[in-house]
């Protein structure tokens, strides 16, 4: 009932009378009023005026499953939306649901993440209602070898969505950090559950720094947030919806392949290309110039002797960034 009422209020420009709502839902006006109060408890600001009815003034800023469900325009991603109050890691939580049979597209977001996982064993924490941390479960019908496109396509989608939604000049630092200038705004961690030659599921975790102003000392020089860059508070429900809408579009348009338009867009937005990069190969530190991205999502680096190295994992530093 809350979802249906919210849907009507979201789509109405004017006040809607309690009488109209009670007829629409076949419930008493008292029941309408109770549901309005439940929406207010969720953080919706709803104006009620005698003889006119109800009007939605604003939606809550903190992540809310009902609001996300009403705003999203996706068919698969967010087929099931779960917003947790707090959790250690949305990736771990969703992997447990995946093992129990969670459906393709299930989305788990959290208002607070206290033991989140970053790449290469790092931590990714998210203070209450400050940032966006979410994971999506996919059961794609593709071979394990083709899975390499999922993370870059997600990075591309997040980058495009944030550019459009915030106006920031976001770029991709290979493989999948979204940066503004020389600072990191978004991290993505993809985890796979596969048996023999079949993928059981993929969990894609995305952490977006939204309102955070103070960062731990060890990352304060290389991390930033949307608020820090724009001095604007963007609504987190609208933001996550913009991101998941774009992720779904990117997967559908590309058919899970990093080629053609997707590869061109990724390459155009990739800040690593054309730069001096440093990486490790067989415990040896190497440097070279990043020249392109392969269809497998590898970074192609030309070394001083002219040979080309395909870098497919690990940490790559980019001169002038991090
Ligand atoms: C990175 O190190 O750049 C990847 C960070 C990924 C963080 C996100 S937040 C939501 C999801 N849950 C996790 O535990 N990690 C990912």
């Amino acid at each position: 009932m809350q979802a249906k009422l919210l849907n009507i209020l979201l789509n109405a420009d004017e006040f809607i009378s309690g009488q109209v709502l009670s007829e629409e839902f076949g419930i008493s006006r008292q029941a309408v009023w109770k549901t309005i109060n439940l929406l207010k408890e969720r953080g919706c600001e709803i104006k009620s005026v005698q003889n006119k009815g109800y009007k939605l003034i604003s939606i809550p800023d903190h992540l809310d499953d009902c609001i996300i469900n009403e705003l999203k325009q996706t068919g698969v991603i967010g087929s099931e939306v779960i917003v947790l109050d707090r959790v250690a890691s949305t990736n771990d939580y969703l992997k447990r649901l995946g093992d129990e049979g969670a459906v393709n597209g299930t989305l788990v977001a959290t208002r607070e993440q206290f033991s989140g996982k970053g790449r290469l064993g790092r931590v990714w924490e998210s203070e209450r209602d400050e940032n966006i941390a979410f994971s999506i479960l996919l059961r794609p019908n593709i071979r394990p070898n083709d899975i390499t496109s999922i993370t870059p396509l997600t990075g591309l989608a997040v980058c495009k969505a944030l550019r459009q939604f915030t106006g920031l000049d976001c770029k991709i630092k290979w493989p999948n950090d979204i940066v503004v200038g020389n600072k990191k705004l978004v991290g993505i961690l993809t985890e796979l559950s596969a048996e023999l030659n079949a993928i059981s599921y993929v969990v894609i975790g995305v952490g977006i720094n939204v309102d955070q102003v103070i960062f731990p000392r060890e990352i304060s020089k290389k991390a930033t947030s949307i608020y820090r860059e724009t001095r604007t508070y963007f609504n987190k429900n609208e933001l996550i919806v913009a991101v998941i809408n774009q992720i779904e579009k990117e997967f559908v348009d590309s058919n899970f392949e990093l080629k053609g338009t997707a590869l061109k867009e990724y390459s155009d937005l990739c800040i690593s290309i054309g730069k001096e990069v440093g990486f490790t190969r067989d415990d040896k530190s190497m440097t070279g110039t990043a020249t392109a991205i392969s269809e497998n999502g590898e970074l192609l680096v030309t070394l001083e002797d002219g040979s080309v190295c395909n870098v497919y994992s690990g940490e790559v530093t980019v001169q002038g960034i991090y």
Side-chain angles (χ1 to χ4, degrees):
M1 183 58 62
Q2 280 184 63
K4 283 190 191 153
L5 185 52
L6 180 64
N7 182 281
I8 292 193
L9 292 176
L10 272 170
N11 291 303
D13 297 330
E14 287 308 321
F15 279 86
I16 303 196
S17 77
Q19 186 60 36
V20 166
L21 292 170
S22 82
E23 281 164 18
E24 176 89 22
F25 297 127
I27 56 171
S28 68
R29 291 185 64 165
Q30 173 80 356
V32 169
W33 178 77
K34 274 194 181 151
T35 314
I36 290 280
N37 280 343
L38 289 175
L39 287 176
K40 283 184 180 169
E41 275 168 31
R42 278 183 176 269
C44 290
E45 195 188 335
I46 298 170
K47 199 168 175 182
S48 43
V49 173
Q50 238 185 2
N51 298 327
K52 279 176 101 177
Y54 304 102
K55 186 167 168 32
L56 182 67
I57 305 297
S58 66
I59 56 172
D61 176 52
H62 64 259
L63 293 173
D64 181 289
D65 48 4
C66 194
I67 309 277
I68 294 171
N69 266 319
E70 289 314 315
L71 296 180
K72 73 180 163 64
Q73 290 167 343
T74 51
V76 173
I77 296 192
S79 48
E80 191 78 49
V81 177
I82 300 165
V83 175
L84 303 166
D85 204 52
R86 68 192 297 267
V87 73
S89 153
T90 55
N91 267 28
D92 285 348
Y93 187 93
L94 191 49
K95 283 196 294 181
R96 278 196 297 278
L97 294 188
D99 293 337
E100 291 163 10
V103 293
N104 186 26
T106 302
L107 177 133
V108 171
T110 187
R111 293 178 64 175
E112 178 185 344
Q113 178 167 267
F114 57 87
S115 189
K117 300 188 302 183
R119 287 179 66 236
L120 309 169
R122 298 185 183 124
V123 290
W124 188 282
E125 283 168 359
S126 205
E127 294 281 333
R128 190 173 180 77
D129 296 334
E130 219 174 44
N131 297 319
I132 291 180
F134 71 95
S135 304
I136 297 165
L137 180 132
L138 290 184
R139 296 189 186 277
N141 201 6
I142 51 180
R143 287 172 303 134
N145 281 354
D146 295 336
I147 211 78
T148 51
S149 60
I150 287 189
T151 312
L153 288 172
T154 305
L156 174 61
V158 177
C159 187
K160 281 165 71 176
L162 293 184
R163 287 175 74 85
Q164 234 221 318
F165 194 84
T166 66
L168 281 170
D169 188 21
C170 300
K171 293 275 165 70
I172 305 164
K173 175 178 176 280
W174 187 90
N176 44 46
D177 287 355
I178 308 300
V179 298
V180 178
N182 58 3
K183 292 189 173 149
K184 178 162 168 172
L185 190 68
V186 179
I188 300 172
L189 176 69
T190 307
E191 297 185 75
L192 178 68
S193 166
E195 277 163 31
L196 290 173
N197 225 8
I199 296 161
S200 170
Y201 60 77
V202 181
V203 164
I204 311 163
V206 181
I208 308 175
N209 298 332
V210 185
D211 292 341
Q212 189 165 350
V213 188
I214 298 159
F215 289 89
R217 206 152 52 100
E218 48 307 350
I219 56 165
S220 69
K221 287 211 169 71
K222 54 180 191 178
T224 192
S225 68
I226 294 175
Y227 179 77
R228 242 163 89 154
E229 297 299 321
T230 60
R231 295 287 147 191
T232 305
Y233 289 112
F234 287 92
N235 183 281
K236 296 187 190 70
N237 291 299
E238 290 174 356
L239 191 48
I240 194 172
V241 164
V243 169
I244 63 168
N245 285 347
Q246 189 63 39
I247 292 177
E248 178 155 310
K249 187 170 179 336
E250 220 57 64
F251 288 161
V252 171
D253 289 355
S254 67
N255 194 24
F256 289 107
E257 289 176 333
L258 187 66
K259 38 167 102 155
T261 311
L263 182 56
K264 182 174 183 323
E265 286 185 335
Y266 184 100
S267 306
D268 288 348
L269 287 169
C270 182
I271 200 138
S272 316
I273 293 179
K275 298 249 172 50
E276 278 289 303
V277 295
F279 60 100
T280 321
R281 171 76 38 113
D282 300 330
D283 285 336
K284 237 177 88 189
S285 296
M286 325 257 292
T287 53
T289 308
T291 49
I293 307 290
S294 75
E295 289 186 358
N296 295 328
E298 300 155 332
L299 185 69
L300 306 187
V301 181
T302 305
L303 307 181
E304 216 166 67
D305 64 5
S307 62
V308 176
C309 227
N310 293 31
V311 184
Y312 48 86
S313 67
E315 182 79 331
V316 171
T317 55
V318 177
Q319 201 180 34
I321 305 190
Y322 58 86

